[in-house]
Every structure is written in structure tokens, then in C-alpha cells.
Amino acid sequence: RRLMNLNGLSVASAAEMYSLRPEDIYLVHDDLDKALGKVAIKLGGSARGHNGVRSCISALRSNEMTRLRVGIGRP
């Protein structure tokens, strides 16, 4: 029930509740720079301008989450 740009607070709360480390978490998020329907998986790295991912990195104090980027393409 949080805004997407503040979702890191919810992710961090769930991680604490279930004793998860950042490397145990998979973030699934949209990616404007990927063609519609294309996916990529990556471990760690920067938020690449995605505010939801930036929020998770900040709240968890780590960038070691696995990211599944789902392409939505540019309009």
C-alpha cells in the first residue's frame, strides 16, 4: 500500500520479518529501455534511474538484490 517510488520501506520490512538478506531478494521491475516483453536478469548494480529500485537500495542499504527487468518499451 505504498507508492512505487517508496516501495523500499515495504521490502525492507518484509526482509526483516522473514530474516532475508538483500541477496535473497528478487526485484521485478519495468524497464523502458528494453523492448516490450524482453527480460533480463542481473545481480546487483545501480538503480539506473528507476526510483522504485533506488528506494529498495536505500532502505536495504545494499544493491546486492537480483533484478528481473521486464521490458515495456518506449511509447
Side-chain angles (χ1 to χ4, degrees):
R1 295 208 176 257
R2 296 204 187 266
L3 297 173
M4 186 269 305
N5 291 345
L6 299 176
N7 64 354
L9 301 173
S10 297
V11 172
S13 177
E16 184 177 341
M17 184 184 316
Y18 294 106
S19 301
L20 297 174
R21 299 169 303 164
E23 50 273 4
D24 298 326
I25 297 170
Y26 282 71
L27 297 178
V28 180
H29 64 89
D30 59 344
D31 189 335
L32 273 173
D33 294 328
K34 291 207 140 335
L36 180 63
K38 297 291 183 179
V39 296
I41 193 164
K42 168 184 171 175
L43 175 63
S46 72
R48 297 186 63 200
H50 194 288
N51 291 329
V53 174
R54 183 176 293 122
S55 175
C56 289
I57 290 171
S58 174
L60 292 168
R61 297 185 195 98
S62 174
N63 68 345
E64 294 301 312
M65 293 77 64
T66 300
R67 291 94 185 273
L68 179 63
R69 299 180 355 234
V70 180
I72 60 171
R74 294 201 177 263

